[in-house]
Amino acid sequence: MSDTLEERHARRMARKKTVVDAAIAKATDSHGLLLVLTGNGKGKSSSAFGMAVRALGHGMRVAVFQFIKGKMGTGEQSYLARDPNLLWDVCGEGFTWETQNRLRDIEKAEAGWARASQALRDPAYGLVVLDEMTYLFKYGYLDLDLVLAAMAARPPMQHVVITGRAAPQALIDAADTVSEIADVKHAFRAGIKAQPGIDL
Ligand code: ATP
Ligand code: MG
C-alpha cells in the first residue's frame, strides 16, 4: 500500500528538521549587529521600532534617535516613552522641504549625532536605533566615515539599526544584516491620507 499524504509530509518534515537543526547548530557566534533597513517601500522605521520593543521586552536598554523627522510624533513614541529603559530623542525638526533651512538642519543633525555617538559609546545600551539617518549622508549633513568609525568602535554586544532610503554602499558593506523594502503599492497613491496606527 502506498504512503498516505500525512506519512510523506512527516518524512519530508523530518528531513527538513535535520537540515534546519544543522544550520542552527553552526550559528554559534554572538555579537552586536549592525542592521540597515532601506528601500522605497513602507516598513523601515516601524520594523526598527518593533526591534526596540523586542529588546525592551528582554529588559535591554534602548536608545532611539530620530533624525530629519520630528514634528509629528509616532504611536510608538507615545507608547514606548513610558518604559524607563528607553531613551527617545527627536533630533530633527521635519522634512527638508518643510524646514527649508539647510544650516539649521545641519546644526540639528550635528547636535543629534553628538548625542547619538554618546549612546554608541555606552555599553548600557543594548540597542541603538538611528532612524532616517541615511538622509544625513544624502544631503551631506553628516560624514559617513565618522559614523562608520563610531560603529566599529562601539561596545561589542551593542546592536544598531539604521533606517532610511538609499543607504550608501559603504554602510551596506559595513552592516551584518541589510533589508531592502520594495515599494510594491502604497495606499497614499490611491489618495488615502496617513493613518494613525499604520503610518504614524
Ligand atoms: P514606516 O514608518 O511606516 O515603517 P518607513 O520608515 O518605511 O515607514 P519613510 O520613508 O520613513 O518610510 O516614511 C514614513 C511615512 O511615509 C509613513 O507614513 C509611510 O506609510 C509613508 N511611506 C513610506 N513609504 C512610502 C511610499 N513608497 N509611498 C508613500 N508613502 C510612503
Ligand atoms: Mg522611516
Side-chain angles (χ1 to χ4, degrees):
M1 210 170 76
S2 67
D3 289 354
T4 64
L5 185 62
E6 280 67 31
E7 284 167 339
R8 282 203 301 278
H9 173 83
R11 264 206 314 278
R12 213 167 47 238
M13 288 307 120
R15 279 199 301 274
K16 194 177 170 77
K17 181 169 163 52
T18 312
V19 174
V20 171
D21 285 352
I24 292 172
K26 262 169 72 181
T28 52
D29 208 7
S30 188
H31 68 87
L33 301 172
L34 172 59
L35 294 90
V36 173
L37 305 175
T38 191
N40 294 335
K42 178 206 166 3
K44 300 174 291 294
S45 298
S46 44
S47 166
F49 300 156
M51 280 182 267
V53 174
R54 285 187 168 177
L56 291 168
H58 285 284
M60 292 157 70
R61 275 183 67 193
V62 175
V64 175
F65 295 89
Q66 268 191 303
F67 293 95
I68 304 290
K69 292 177 188 173
K71 226 189 281 170
M72 204 146 44
T74 59
E76 292 101 326
Q77 183 187 1
S78 341
Y79 188 78
L80 295 177
R82 300 170 206 164
D83 195 311
N85 279 333
L86 178 76
L87 168 74
W88 193 292
D89 188 324
V90 178
C91 313
E93 286 184 320
F95 296 106
T96 46
W97 58 87
E98 272 163 4
T99 59
Q100 298 167 15
N101 187 335
R102 196 180 120 82
L103 290 179
R104 185 153 173 84
D105 285 351
I106 292 174
E107 219 174 85
K108 282 271 158 192
E110 283 174 351
W113 171 245
R115 297 192 299 276
S117 53
Q118 235 175 331
L120 291 165
R121 284 191 294 268
D122 185 349
Y125 288 110
L127 172 65
V128 177
V129 174
L130 304 168
D131 191 39
E132 319 297 347
M133 178 174 252
T134 59
Y135 303 102
L136 304 186
F137 309 132
K138 183 179 169 198
Y139 291 113
Y141 291 176
L142 187 65
D143 181 22
L144 176 59
D145 288 337
L146 206 67
V147 174
L148 292 177
M151 292 301 146
R154 76 187 194 278
M157 284 313 295
Q158 185 182 74
H159 303 301
V160 177
V161 183
I162 297 181
T163 82
R165 296 180 188 202
Q169 190 57 48
L171 182 61
I172 289 173
D173 292 344
D176 299 285
T177 296
V178 181
S179 292
E180 179 159 22
I181 299 180
D183 178 22
V184 177
K185 214 179 193 186
H186 196 290
F188 181 69
R189 289 199 290 282
I192 316 282
K193 67 178 182 182
Q195 298 293 302
I198 299 296
D199 295 301
L200 66 151

